[in-house]
C-alpha cells in the first residue's frame, strides 16, 4: 500500500484497530513491515520519508511485535537538522534500543554535539535520551558535559532540570564512572537555587549522592534545613508548585529523606530550626475529605515522623507523633490506617514512647479484625512489638481468640508470635502451659514442632509444673477430637508424669493407657512411635504392673513387631524385651533429666531481629526492605557434632530443631547405658544405619514433613555424611544424578499439596501448596544438605500462557545447612493441560547442576468437588446437548482397575463421584467445579461407562459450558487413565456406587445418553 504524507500513518492505525482478530492484525503488521523493509533497502529516502516509516515502526513496536530492523534509520534521524525528524529519532531510539546496543556508539558524537550546542530544544531531547538509556558509554563520554550544563548560569531552568535528572540516572547506573569528587561546593550552590523545578531535580540528585557518602556533604545540611523553612513558611513558592495548598510536597519529602542519611544534626541553631519546621508539619496535618490533599499532606507527615525518630527528638515531640498516629489508626480510610499502624510500629524503636503507644491498645486490637489483610498484618506486628509483662495476658488472649477466625496465611505467623510472647512475658509457668496447649488445640496445623518441644523443656526443668502439665494434658484427651500435635505433647507428658496424678479420679495407669490408646487408630506413623514410648513409660511407672494392663500393652508391642515401618518395629521389639526386665525397667526408662538452661531459640530469633532493626534508621530500614529478597533463609544453628544416638534404641524420635538443639528428647535414651549390655543389638543393613546429625534435613525442611530418599526410613533423611558419601566432593562428575524418580515425584504432587519435587546429593526441593478457586500459592523449599554454600543459584519459572506465575527473588547463594523459602503466586487464566516448568540450576564446587522440573500447577488443582443432586444434575446435562460443549470418546488401553479403584482415582483428581445417578452398576458419574479467570466457576459433568468383560477400555462423556474446558478435561482424564503411575495409585476402597440402582434419574441419564 502506497503511503503519502502522515495520512498513511493514520490510515494504518485505523486498519489495525478495525482488525477482527489477532491473526488479521498480525497479517496486516507483517505486510507493513515488509513494505517498510523494502523502502529502507531499495530506495534512498529523505529524512522526512524516514520519519514516516520510523513512526510506523514505533507504533508496531508498541503493539508488542518485534521490530528487528530499521534501527540504523532511527539513529540516523538524530543527526537531522530539523526538529520533527530529530524528535522522532530521539524518541524511537530511546524506545527500541537498550544501553548495550552497538548502534548507540554511532550516535554518541551527535548527542554530545546537541548537548553542548546552543539550541535548548535539542539539548532537552539529547538529555532525555541519555537519561532514559543511561549506558556506561554515555556516562564515560557525556557525564562531564551534563555536569557543566547543570551548574551553568546561562542555561534556562528547563535544561538544568533535565541535566540534573540525567546526571542522576548516570550516577545510579555507573557510580564508578561519574566523577562527583569535590561536588560538595557545587551541591551547596545548587541547593541555594530559587527555581523550585531545578531545586527539586537537584534534591533528587543530592539524595543519591548523600546516600553513597554523607561525609562529603556536611556543608549541605544547613541548606536543606533552610529549604524546609522556606517551604514551611510558603516563602517565594510559586502557585504552580503549590499542591492543594501544600508548598511543593515532593521537595519537602525529598529534603527530609536526605536529612535522614546524616547521623545527627549537631549545630544547635540548625537543630532548633529543623525542629520548629517539624513541629509546624506535625501541628498542621489532619485528615480531610479531599483524597489528593490527604495523600500529599500525609506523605510529608510520615516522612517528618521518620525524621523525628531518626533525630531522636525530645519526648514531647515523640508523644505528639504517637498521638497523631493514634488518630490515624481510627479513621475510616484504610490506607491511612495502614500507614498509621506501620509508623507506630517503627516508633516502638523509641523506648520512651512505648507507654504512650499502649494507650492505643484497644484500637490496635480492633484493627486486628479489619477486613484488609494488610492492616491485620501490621496490627499483629504492632501488638507483638508493644507487648511486655504489663499487657502480655491481654494481648496473648486476644491473639488466641483471633486465631480461630484468622486467615490461613496468617495463622502460622500468629501462632509463632503468640508462643514467643507467652514464653517471653509469662507471669507464671502454668499460664504459659495453658496458652501453648490452647494454641495447639486451636491451630494445630499451624503450630510447628518447635513450640511443643519448648513446652517439654519447661515442664521437664520445673518439677512443680509437672503435675499441672500432666493434668491439663489429661483434660485435653477427654475431647472427642484433638489435633495430632496435641496428641504428641499429651502422650509425652502423660508418659513422663502421669504417675504424679495416680490419686486423682480417672488418672490411674489403666485409665490413662485406655484414653491414649483410643486415639491410636487416628494418628500417623511418627506419632505411633511416641505412643509406644508412652506405653512403655506407663508400664514402668506402674511397677509392680497390673497383669491386665501389662498384657494389653504387651499385645500392642507384639502387634507392631511386624510393622512395615522400621522405627515402629524396632521400638516394639525392644520395648517388649525391656518390659520383661521387671523392676530393672525403672532404671532403664527413668524420667528425663533436666535440660541445660539456655535461651529459647524462638526468643533469640525475635531479639536478633529487634536488635538489627533498632540499629537502622527509618531510611536505612526502607532501603533494606527495597533491596532484600523476599526469600526467607532459615539456617540450622546446631553444632556440627551432635550428640551420639543409640542405634539399638531410637525411642521417641523428635527432630532436633533449634529449640531442643543437642538436648533433644532423644536424651530420654541417656539412661539406656544399661541397655547396651542387656539388649541384643539388632543387625542393621547399611541403608538403615544411623549416622550422627541424621536429622539435619528434617530440621531444614520441617515445614513439609518431607520423606527421605529411597533406602531411608520415613522418619529419616539423608545426613550430610551420607550425601557426601554418595557423591564425594573430590570425584564429582559434571552431571549430578537426581535421587528418586522425578516423574513419580511430580505425579505424586499432582494428587497432594506437599512433598518433595526434586532431590540430589546436595539439594532437596520441597513444595507446599494452597489452592483456592482460580488462585494458588506455592512455597518452594530449597534446602542445602551440605556444609558448603551453593553458588550461582537460579530458579526461573517458564510459564505457559494460561497461567500467570510470580516467584519471589531467589538468593544466588544458599548458606550451608540452610533452607530458602520462595513463595510463588499462581493465577489460572483459562483451562489448559500445559504445565509450568521450574528451570533450576546451581553450582557446587566445580559441578554445575541444571534441571527443568514440572510444577504441579495442573488442571485438577483448580477443581473444587461439590456434590449435586439429581434435580441439579439433569437440567445441566440436558442443556449441554451436543459438541463442542459435550464430547464423547471410547478410550482404549486403560490400565485395568476395579470400579472402586476408578472411583477413588476420580476422587483423587477432585472429581466427586455421585452414586445413584446411573442405573448401570458398571458406570460412574462424577462432577466438579472448575475455576479460572475466564470461565469463573463452571460446573463439569463426567460419565464413564465401563465394560466388566474388558477393563482395558471404556466410554467417556464430558460436558461443561465452555468448549475448551470440555476438551481439556476429556483429554486430562484420558491421559490419566491410560498412564496412571502405579506407585501413586490410590488405595482400593469399597465401590461407592451401589450394585443396583433403579432410581428414575438414573434411567433418565441412560436415556439422555
Amino acid at each position: 500500500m502506497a503511503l503519502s504524507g502522515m495520512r498513511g500513518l493514520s490510515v494504518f492505525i485505523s486498519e489495525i484497530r478495525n482488525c477482527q482478530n489477532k491473526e488479521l492484525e498480525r497479517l496486516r503488521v507483517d505486510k507493513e513491515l515488509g513494505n517498510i523493509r523494502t523502502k529502507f533497502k531499495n530506495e534512498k529516502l529523505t529524512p522526512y520519508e524516514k520519519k514516516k516509516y520510523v513512526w510506523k515502526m514505533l507504533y508496531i513496536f508498541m503493539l508488542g511485535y518485534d521490530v528487528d530492523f530499521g534501527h540504523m534509520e532511527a539513529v540516523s534521524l538524530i543527526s537531522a537538522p530539523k526538529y520533527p525528524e530529530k524528535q522522532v529519532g530521539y524518541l524511537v531510539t530511546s524506545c527500541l534500543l537498550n544501553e548495550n546496543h552497538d548502534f548507540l556508539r554511532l550516535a554518541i558524537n551527535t548527542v554530545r554535539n546537541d548537548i553542548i550546542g546552543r539550541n535548548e530544544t535539542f539539548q532537552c531531547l539529547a538529555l532525555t535520551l541519555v537519561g532514559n538509556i543511561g549506558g556506561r558509554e554515555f556516562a564515560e563520554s557525556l557525564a562531564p558535559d551534563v555536569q557543566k550544563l547543570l551548574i551553568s548560569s546561562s542555561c534556562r531552568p528547563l535544561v538544568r532540570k533535565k541535566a540534573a535528572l540525567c546526571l542522576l540516572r548516570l550516577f545510579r547506573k555507573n557510580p564508578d564512572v561519574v566523577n562527583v569528587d569535590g561536588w560538595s561546593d557545587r551541591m551547596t550552590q545548587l541547593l541555594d537555587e530559587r527555581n523550585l523545578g531545578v531545586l527539586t531535580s537537584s534534591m533528587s540528585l543530592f539524595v543519591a549522592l548523600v546516600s553513597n557518602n554523607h561525609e562529603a556533604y556536611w556543608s549541605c545540611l544547613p541548606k536543606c534545613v533552610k529549604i524546609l523553612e522556606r517551604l514551611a513558611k510558603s516563602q517565594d513558592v510559586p502557585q504552580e508548585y503549590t499542591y492543594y495548598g501544600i508548598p511543593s510536597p515532593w521537595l519537602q519529602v525529598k529534603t527530609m529523606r536526605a536529612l535522614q542519611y546524616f547521623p545527627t544534626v549537631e549545630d544547635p541553631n540548625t537543630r532548633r530550626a529543623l525542629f520548629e519546621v517539624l513541629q509546624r508539619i506535625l501541628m498542621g496535618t489532619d485528615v480531610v475529605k479531599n483524597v489528593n490533599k490527604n495523600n500529599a499532606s500525609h506523605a510529608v507527615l510520615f516522612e517528618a515522623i521518620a525524621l523525628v525518630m531518626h533525630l531522636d527528638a525530645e519526648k514531647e515531640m515523640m508523644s505528639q507523633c504517637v498521638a497523631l498516629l493514634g488518630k490515624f489508626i481510627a479513621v475510616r480510610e484504610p490506607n491511612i490506617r495502614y500507614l498509621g499502624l506501620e509508623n507506630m510500629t517503627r516508633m516502638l524503636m523509641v523506648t520512651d514512647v512505648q507507654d504512650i503507644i499502649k494507650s492505643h491498645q484497644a484500637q490496635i486490637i480492633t484493627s486486628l479484625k479489619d477486613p484488609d489483610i494488610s492492616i491485620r498484618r501490621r496490627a499483629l506486628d504492632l501488638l507483638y512489638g508493644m507487648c511486655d509483662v504489663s499487657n502480655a495476658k491481654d494481648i496473648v488472649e486476644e491473639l488466641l481468640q483471633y486465631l480461630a477466625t484468622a486467615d490461613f496465611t496468617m495463622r502460622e505467623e500468629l501462632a509463632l508470635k503468640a508462643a514467643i510472647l507467652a514464653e517471653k512475658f509469662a507471669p507464671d509457668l502454668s499460664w504459659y502451659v495453658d496458652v501453648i496447649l490452647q494454641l495447639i488445640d486451636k491451630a494445630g496445623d499451624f503450630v510447628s514442632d518447635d513450640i511443643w518441644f519448648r513446652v517439654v523443656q519447661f515442664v521437664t526443668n520445673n518439677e512443680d509444673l509437672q503435675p499441672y502439665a500432666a493434668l491439663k494434658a489429661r483434660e485435653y484427651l477427654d475431647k472427642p477430637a484433638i489435633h495430632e500435635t496435641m496428641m504428641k505433647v499429651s502422650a509425652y507428658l502423660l508418659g513422663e508424669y502421669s504417675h504424679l496424678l495416680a490419686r486423682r479420679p480417672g488418672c490411674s495407669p489403666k485409665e490413662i493407657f485406655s484414653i491414649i490408646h483410643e486415639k491410636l487408630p487416628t494418628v500417623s506413623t511418627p506419632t505411633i512411635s511416641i505412643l509406644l514410648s508412652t506405653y512403655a513409660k506407663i508400664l514402668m511407672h506402674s511397677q509392680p504392673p497390673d497383669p491386665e494392663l501389662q498384657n494389653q500393652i504387651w499385645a500392642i508391642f507384639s502387634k507392631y513387631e511386624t510393622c512395615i515401618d522400621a522405627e515402629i518395629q524396632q521400638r516394639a521389639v525392644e520395648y517388649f524385651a525391656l518390659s520383661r526386665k521387671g523392676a530393672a525397667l525403672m532404671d532403664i526408662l527413668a524420667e528425663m533429666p533436666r535440660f541445660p538452661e539456655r535461651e529459647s531459640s524462638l526468643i533469640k530469633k525475635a531479639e536478633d531481629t529487634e536488635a538489627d532493626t533498632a540499629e537502622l534508621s527509618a531510611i536505612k530500614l526502607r532501603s533494606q526492605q527495597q533491596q532484600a529478597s523476599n526469600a526467607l533463609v532459615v539456617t540450622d544453628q546446631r553444632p556440627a557434632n551432635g550428640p551420639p544416638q543409640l542405634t539399638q534404641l531410637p525411642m521417641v524420635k523428635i527432630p532436633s530443631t533449634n529449640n531442643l538443639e543437642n538436648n533433644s528428647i532423644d536424651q530420654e535414651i541417656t539412661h539406656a547405658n544399661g541397655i547396651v549390655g542387656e539388649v541384643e543389638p539388632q543387625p542393621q543393613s547399611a541403608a538403615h544405619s544411623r549416622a550422627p546429625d541424621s536429622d539435619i534435613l528434617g530440621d531444614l525442611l520441617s515445614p513439609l514433613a518431607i520423606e527421605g530418599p529411597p533406602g531411608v526410613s520415613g522418619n529419616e533423611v539423608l545426613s550430610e555424611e551420607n550425601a557426601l558419601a554418595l557423591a564425594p566432593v573430590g570425584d564429582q562428575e559434571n552431571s549430578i544424578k537426581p535421587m528418586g524418580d522425578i516423574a513419580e515425584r511430580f505425579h505424586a504432587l499432582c494428587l497432594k499439596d506437599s512433598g518433595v519435587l526434586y532431590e540430589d546429593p546436595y539439594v532437596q526441593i520441597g513444595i507446599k501448596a494452597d489452592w483456592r478457586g482460580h488462585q494458588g500459592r506455592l512455597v518452594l523449599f530449597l534446602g542445602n544438605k551440605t556444609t558448603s554454600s551453593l553458588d550461582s543459584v537460579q530458579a526461573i519459572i517458564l510459564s505457559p500462557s494460561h497461567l500467570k506465575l510470580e516467584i519471589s527473588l531467589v538468593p544466588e547463594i544458599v548458606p550451608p545447612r540452610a533452607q530458602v523459602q520462595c513463595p510463588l503466586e499462581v493465577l489460572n487464566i483459562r483451562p489448559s493441560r500445559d504445565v509450568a516448568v521450574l528451570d533450576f540450576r546451581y553450582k557446587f564446587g566445580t559441578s554445575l547442576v541444571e534441571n527443568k522440573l514440572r510444577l504441579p500447577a495442573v488442571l485438577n488443582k483448580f477443581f473444587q468437588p461439590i456434590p449435586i443432586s439429581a434435580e441439579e444434575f439433569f437440567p445441566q446435562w440436558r442443556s449441554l446437548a451436543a459438541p463442542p460443549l459435550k464430547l464423547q470418546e471410547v478410550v482404549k488401553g486403560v490400565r485395568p482397575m476395579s470400579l472402586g479403584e476408578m472411583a477413588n482415582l476420580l476422587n483423587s483428581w477432585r472429581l466427586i463421584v455421585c452414586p445413584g445417578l446411573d442405573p448401570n452398576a458398571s458406570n460412574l458419574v462424577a462432577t466438579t467445579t472448575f475455576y479460572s479467570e475466564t470461565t469463573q466457576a463452571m460446573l463439569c459433568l463426567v460419565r464413564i461407562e465401563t465394560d466388566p468383560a474388558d477393563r482395558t477400555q471404556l466410554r467417556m462423556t464430558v460436558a461443561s459450558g465452555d468448549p475448551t474446558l470440555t476438551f481439556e478435561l476429556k483429554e486430562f482424564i484420558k491421559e490419566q487413565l491410560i498412564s496412571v503411575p502405579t506407585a501413586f495409585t490410590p488405595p482400593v476402597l469399597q465401590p461407592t456406587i451401589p450394585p443396583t440402582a433403579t432410581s428414575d434419574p438414573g434411567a433418565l441419564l441412560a436415556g439422555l445418553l
Side-chain angles (χ1 to χ4, degrees), residues 3-18:
L3 299 174
S4 61
M6 297 306 288
R7 181 175 175 275
L9 176 62
S10 302
V11 172
F12 173 63
I13 293 174
S14 298
E15 291 177 353
I16 290 292
R17 290 176 176 173
N18 292 331

Side-chain angles (χ1 to χ4, degrees), residues 377-398:
R377 287 187 181 280
R378 296 291 77 77
L380 175 60
D381 292 341
L382 181 52
L383 285 172
Y384 176 74
M386 64 187 283
C387 186
D388 59 19
V389 178
S390 65
N391 59 3
K393 274 195 171 184
D394 294 335
I395 290 179
V396 171
E397 286 173 7
E398 286 291 342

Side-chain angles (χ1 to χ4, degrees), residues 243-244 288-298 333 335:
Y243 185 78
Y244 287 91
V288 296
K289 291 185 178 181
N290 190 297
V291 177
N292 293 328
K293 182 171 183 178
N294 271 339
N295 290 340
S297 62
H298 292 146
E333 173 60 37
N335 290 334

Side-chain angles (χ1 to χ4, degrees), residues 587-640:
D587 295 327
I588 297 171
L589 295 181
E591 289 182 14
M592 278 283 290
R594 290 173 60 89
F595 289 91
E597 292 296 336
R598 59 161 54 91
E599 185 182 19
S600 165
S601 61
L602 296 178
I603 293 181
K604 187 175 185 303
K605 284 180 184 178
E607 290 180 347
D608 287 346
T609 303
E610 290 169 5
D612 293 341
T613 306
E615 293 173 2
L616 298 173
S617 66
I619 188 69
K620 292 180 182 177
L621 181 61
R622 184 188 305 106
S623 175
Q624 185 187 56
Q625 290 169 343
Q626 289 172 350
Q627 296 174 7
S629 164
N630 289 333
L632 304 176
V633 179
V634 183
T635 307
D636 182 50
Q637 303 293 330
R638 296 181 308 162

